């Protein structure tokens, strides 16, 4: 059987760096990202999450812990070949004495072009069909509609944010919730039911269906959508049921995870573990997508294993008995056969 081997960081990588209040170029990632998500790891204020992508443009950021509109950074934050360039002392990305974590994804290698598969023509869509990831910018209509993702595969998770005005949450579609429910990335709230978000219509390999809710499709509103299709051997987007034990649930992914983000369908935060920050097993150094706090240290909740991850606590963030948790994970060493079946993870 022939195998297609991706380099460990062709399409996703976690990168750690320290701030310096000055020119601070980070160009040794081994990839050229189209989405960078940065969070300060140690104490200090402000410590908001910082998302920048090539579709919206360099220096334009949104924060997953807030409902604020897109803002433009007065300092340099530019996505370039091999990583990103920083300059100046933005407290969110480059203050001396602070350490930072940057999660990086590669889409189509730039801003992309309009996708016309949906009833709304996107302004730009940048897509990586191999990795199952696309970024789309579009303008809402205020009535039932659809947008194309360019993936050529059904997206299993999609994150939406209105960018032109403040006061709107980050809406999340996840296959495990179904098209009749949604979750909110900027809160700890439980999954909610609604027909005005996805019209109770499962995404197709071409489009995501939208209702007229202002969080995803207000007339004249501008939006960004990050869409993820599961790719065997590289990504896993699914759910599991907690068992409430310190010998917790084992979740098979088919690869050694480099990044796992977990959310309970109940009122818990978006818990993130990666393989670069010290303590990814035994004593997790966790960051929380909706939280401005420094990284949590010394609390062991999950272990990253050669072919999945395992809960090691009964903590409600990851393993309450009978509770459903949904997640998204990416591989440390993606390895996929020519027929799409993953090899044994290293």
């Amino acid at each position: 059987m022939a195998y297609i081997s991706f380099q460990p960081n062709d399409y996703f990588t976690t990168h750690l760096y320290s701030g310096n209040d000055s020119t601070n170029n980070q160009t040794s990632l081994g990839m050229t990202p189209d989405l960078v998500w940065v969070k300060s790891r140690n104490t200090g204020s402000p410590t908001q999450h910082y998302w920048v992508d090539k579709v919206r443009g360099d220096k334009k950021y949104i924060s997953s812990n807030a409902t604020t509109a897109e803002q433009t950074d007065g300092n340099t934050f530019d996505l370039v070949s091999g990583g990103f360039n920083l300059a100046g002392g933005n407290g969110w990305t480059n203050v001396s004495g602070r350490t930072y974590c940057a999660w990086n994804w590669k889409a189509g290698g730039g801003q992309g072009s309009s996708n016309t598969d949906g009833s709304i023509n996107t302004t730009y869509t940048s897509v990586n069909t191999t990795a199952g990831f696309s970024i789309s910018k579009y303008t809402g209509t205020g009535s039932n509609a659809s947008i194309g993702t360019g993936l050529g595969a059904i997206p299993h998770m999609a994150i939406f944010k209105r960018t032109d005005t403040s006061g709107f949450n980050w809406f999340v579609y996840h296959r495990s919730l179904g098209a009749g429910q949604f979750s909110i990335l900027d809160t700890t709230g439980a999954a909610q039911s609604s027909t005005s978000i996805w019209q109770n219509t499962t995404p197709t390999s071409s489009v995501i269906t939208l209702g007229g809710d202002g969080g995803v499709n207000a007339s004249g509103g501008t939006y960004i959508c990050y869409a993820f299709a599961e790719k065997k051997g590289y990504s896993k987007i699914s759910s599991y049921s907690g068992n409430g034990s310190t010998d917790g649930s084992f979740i098979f992914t088919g690869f050694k995870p480099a990044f796992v983000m977990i959310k309970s369908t109940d009122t818990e935060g978006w818990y993130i573990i990666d393989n670069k920050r010290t303590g990814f097993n035994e004593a997790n150094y966790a960051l929380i997508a909706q939280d401005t706090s420094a990284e949590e240290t010394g609390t062991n909740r999950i272990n990253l294993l050669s072919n999945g991850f395992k809960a090691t606590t009964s903590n409600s963030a990851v393993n309450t008995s009978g509770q459903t948790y949904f997640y998204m994970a990416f591989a440390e060493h993606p390895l996929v056969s020519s027929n799409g079946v993953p090899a044994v993870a290293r």
Side-chain angles (χ1 to χ4, degrees), residues 56-76:
R56 290 180 298 113
D58 294 336
K59 303 179 184 66
K60 296 180 180 179
Y61 63 90
I62 47 180
S63 303
S64 59
N65 56 273
T67 61
T68 50
E70 173 186 277
Q71 301 178 63
T72 300
D73 196 337
N75 298 289
T76 295

Side-chain angles (χ1 to χ4, degrees), residues 24-279:
N24 192 6
N25 296 339
Q26 303 295 314
T27 54
S28 60
L29 275 64
M31 65 176 289
T32 299
D34 293 304
L35 167 63
V36 180
W37 174 3
V38 177
K39 177 65 176 70
S40 172
R41 300 172 60 195
N42 53 355
T43 57
S45 180
T47 58
Q48 279 84 351
H49 292 258
Y50 185 106
W51 296 51
V52 63
D53 62 71
K54 290 300 287 186
V55 172
R56 290 180 298 113
D58 294 336
K59 303 179 184 66
K60 296 180 180 179
Y61 63 90
I62 47 180
S63 303
S64 59
N65 56 273
T67 61
T68 50
E70 173 186 277
Q71 301 178 63
T72 300
D73 196 337
N75 298 289
T76 295
F77 196 113
D78 296 337
L79 306 190
V80 298
S81 179
F84 50 92
N85 290 341
L86 302 166
N90 186 328
W92 298 12
T93 60
N94 193 32
V95 165
S96 181
R98 294 189 194 170
T99 57
Y100 297 88
C101 177
W103 299 299
N104 307 269
W105 287 265
K106 183 175 179 59
Q111 194 170 50
S113 58
S114 177
N115 180 289
T116 60
D117 292 339
S119 62
I120 297 173
N121 294 339
T122 66
T123 309
Y124 302 107
T125 294
S126 178
V127 59
N128 184 339
T129 56
T130 303
F133 175 53
S134 72
I135 307 171
S136 296
K137 179 180 178 179
Y138 66 95
T139 299
T141 64
S143 57
N144 292 345
S146 62
I147 60 164
T149 63
L151 291 171
I154 296 172
H156 298 115
M157 184 167 175
I159 301 170
F160 290 78
K161 178 68 179 79
R162 185 170 181 177
T163 60
D164 62 307
T165 189
S166 297
F168 289 90
N169 298 104
W170 293 62
F171 284 79
V172 179
Y173 167 82
H174 194 284
R175 68 190 296 185
S176 300
L177 298 177
Q181 289 191 304
F182 64 92
S183 193
I184 299 294
L185 186 63
D186 55 282
T187 77
T188 62
Q192 302 176 52
S193 297
S194 175
T195 58
S196 65
I197 310 300
W198 325 121
Q199 288 192 60
N200 204 24
T201 302
T202 301
T204 71
S205 59
S206 299
V207 300
I208 298 175
T209 299
L210 305 173
D213 188 276
V216 295
N217 187 26
S219 179
T222 57
Y223 298 86
I224 197 74
C225 169
Y226 306 104
F228 302 86
E230 181 180 290
K231 295 293 181 177
K232 290 183 178 180
Y234 168 69
S235 59
K236 186 72 175 176
I237 302 169
S238 191
S239 63
Y240 65 92
S241 181
N243 68 7
S245 170
T246 54
D247 182 18
S249 303
F250 168 72
I251 296 87
F252 177 78
T253 60
F255 52 77
K256 183 176 183 179
F259 171 100
V260 180
M261 179 164 70
I262 301 171
K263 174 71 174 77
S264 166
T265 56
D266 205 347
T267 52
E268 292 289 343
W270 298 78
Y271 179 79
I272 303 168
I273 292 293
D274 60 65
N275 66 337
K276 295 290 181 70
R277 290 176 293 130
T278 302

